[in-house]
Amino acid sequence: MREKLALPEAEWPRAIEELCNQNHIEEAAVLSTCNRMEIYVVALSWHRGVREISEWMSKTSGIPIGELREHLFILQNRDATEHLFRVASGLDSLVLGEGQILAQVKQVYKIGQGVVGFGRCLSGLFKQSITAGKRVRSETNIAAGAVSISSAAVELALMKLPEGGLLAAHVLVVGAGKMSKLLIKHLVSKGCCKLVVVNRSEQRVVELQNEFPEAELIYQPLNKLLECAGEADLIFTSTASESPIFLKEEVLSLKSASDAAAGIRCFIDISVPRNVSACVSEISSVQVFNVDDLREVVEANKEERKRKAVEAQLIIEEELKSFEAWRDSLETVPTIKKLRAYAEKVRASELEKCLSKFGDISAKNRKLIDELSRGIVNKLLHGPMQHLRTDTTNTRTVSEIVENMHALERMFDLKLGSASLEQFRSKVEKLSE
């Protein structure tokens, strides 16, 4: 299901644009990784927004909407915000605290900056989630011993091979991209100093050889894939191929694995879509593991994960309050600006009248009078402004702040501008469609 829904980074802007073209969606963001496909939106209508997203996902992936609905999880408001903060903090990952997901959340924010549909609210949400993720990693030991998917793949290999097997086994890595680079890094750290890398081009493998001079990395072209696989006991696959590169018939034709692997060839496939056909696992002398199987590595430290998650959750709660305070304050921003503009207009007008009566006046005295008028206005505005602002220490409810906002607008005749009225009318029209 994830394979059919997966969206490469290059397509995220297009997806945001298409989603925001729906009648009830104002902002959108896409987070698509090997382990998740998540869409975040600001919608004018909860039910209509969910329907439009579901229909878009069905149309984009070709999955019938009835089948798709069975696999969706849907969160709104605070639940959705908390989920993203947990994702960015590594609490919702296969491997607790893995750092790769925070980098992916950062990438969503980075790409979104150049897209109109990634608006103010989602920009603030993802920015705060990145802050939460950073705090969790720096203030707890959640990342101690935590690993990426690539590292988990190596740990799984150590669990499946006989004792000392990794040092004696023949290892093959298919692909030379970012994930393969991490795989090799962890393999080398575990003492694997000789492995074969099959890749379409040699240049990337040369770069890996330069980066890991302590290991012997042997390059082989793609047309030698099956030949290399026949010599390997442990095969990691991490390519961008849209279809499997290892089929059951081909694997059946390979000679048996060596004694270092007890005659069992192990495929660990960390690609999405998968590189190893599911039916390869039907072969008795072969073991096949994919991204989902990495949960086995996670479960080994289940109690430790729970303890660290409790510490992290306290930080997430603090960041949630900060985000909610910021979001709630957005409604009062126009009123704050209008009130300041009104006060400045009155101040400037009265100051000009006063100075005109003095006749000749030194620049020093003019400045003193100007500063005096500004100080008086700022002190008079301090109280009203405090009742319009909200932060994590504020005991006033949102309804109280909104009530204060409307009261000030009535008292000072701070009417909505034409642009704001147009925006409001547009929202009403969309909701009535």
Side-chain angles (χ1 to χ4, degrees), residues 11 30 33 96-97 102 120-121 146 171 223 229 253 279 285 298 315 327 332 350 370 415 420:
E11 294 185 29
V30 176
T33 73
L96 176 73
L102 180 58
R120 186 176 190 180
C121 188
V171 180
N223 58 13
S253 68
C279 56
S285 61
V298 177
I315 294 171
R327 184 197 59 201
T332 67
E350 294 304 312
D370 181 73
K415 298 184 184 297
S420 299

Side-chain angles (χ1 to χ4, degrees), residues 180 197 268 419:
S180 294
V197 182
I268 300 182

Side-chain angles (χ1 to χ4, degrees), residues 224-240:
K224 294 287 188 71
L225 177 63
L226 287 179
E227 182 182 331
C228 294
E231 298 294 329
D233 303 313
L234 178 59
I235 302 172
F236 295 95
T237 60
S238 178
T239 79

